[in-house]
Amino acid sequence: VGILVAMIIHQFIRPLGLKSWKKIILSKRILSLMILVAVIRIYGAFVEAELPGGVLLVDMMRMELDSIGIPLIAIVVLIPFIAGMTSGLAIGFVGAAFPIVISILGPEPHMGILLATTLLAFTSGYMGMMLSPVHVCFVVTNEYFKTRLVNSLGGLLKPAFVVMIGAAGLYLLIRFVLFPGPGF
């Protein structure tokens, strides 16, 4: 709906002919983004689905991960990071990881937990995206400056580490100082 409204507003401000709109709408980039959004929505529906026993899939995932000893904080950091690395897109890591991350917090999580977890998960996913060899900006920059991907990646590791340390500090500040409360 938002894209449709934007297209209508654009048509009033800077009118385009039908041929131009057809070229824009049927471009490979637009179609691939539409497919990506659709797949993410379907994925989110599966993650939030009830299993035959009435238990939510995400609750079952949380119980299984807890039973094998994986701390929830590791899930909050690793799932978005891996999603960011594999997709190279913000919409990719948010769409793939956030249904799981937010759902593992349980129904109606404490405000401090929600804010701190969202900050940590987004930062982790963003760092994964920035370090991804499939991130378009990273690839184009390396092509433009004729540099090797591995060399450029090495230069990003220290800043990414500093950002993650900062995010961890903010997580602790939000979670335990600004909004102390129950939960993980």
Side-chain angles (χ1 to χ4, degrees):
V1 172
I3 292 173
L4 183 61
V5 170
M7 289 169 60
I8 292 169
I9 292 170
H10 186 278
Q11 186 63 20
F12 282 111
I13 296 171
R14 293 179 65 198
L16 293 175
L18 184 61
K19 192 174 187 178
S20 296
W21 279 114
K22 185 177 178 182
K23 183 179 178 183
I24 292 169
I25 293 171
L26 297 178
S27 72
K28 288 181 181 180
R29 186 175 202 188
I30 297 294
L31 290 174
S32 66
L33 284 175
M34 287 173 48
I35 290 169
L36 179 63
V37 169
V39 167
I40 288 170
R41 295 297 303 146
I42 292 167
Y43 170 76
F46 277 113
V47 169
E48 298 166 355
E50 281 189 22
L51 296 173
V55 178
L56 292 176
L57 177 61
V58 174
D59 291 337
M60 183 64 77
M61 289 169 55
R62 183 181 334 126
M63 288 184 290
E64 286 184 17
L65 292 168
D66 191 42
S67 72
I68 58 175
I70 298 177
L72 291 179
I73 197 77
I75 296 166
V76 167
V77 172
L78 290 175
I79 290 178
F81 184 81
I82 292 167
M85 284 288 288
T86 57
S87 70
L89 296 168
I91 190 173
F93 79 77
V94 170
F98 272 53
I100 295 171
V101 169
I102 299 302
S103 296
I104 64 171
L105 298 179
E108 300 181 32
H110 181 267
M111 177 62 79
I113 293 172
L114 184 61
L115 289 174
T117 302
T118 302
L119 171 116
L120 194 59
F122 189 84
T123 305
S124 177
Y126 200 82
M127 289 305 99
M129 178 189 80
M130 294 304 292
L131 297 172
S132 173
V134 296
H135 181 60
V136 175
C137 300
F138 195 30
V139 172
V140 170
T141 300
N142 280 300
E143 286 178 8
Y144 181 80
F145 289 107
K146 298 182 183 0
T147 58
R148 294 188 45 145
L149 195 65
V150 175
N151 295 343
S152 297
L153 188 61
L156 290 175
L157 289 176
K158 286 180 185 175
F161 181 74
V162 170
V163 169
M164 283 305 298
I165 294 298
L170 282 173
Y171 170 85
L172 294 171
L173 176 71
I174 292 169
R175 177 65 191 89
F176 298 107
V177 177
L178 300 176
F179 294 97
F184 93 97

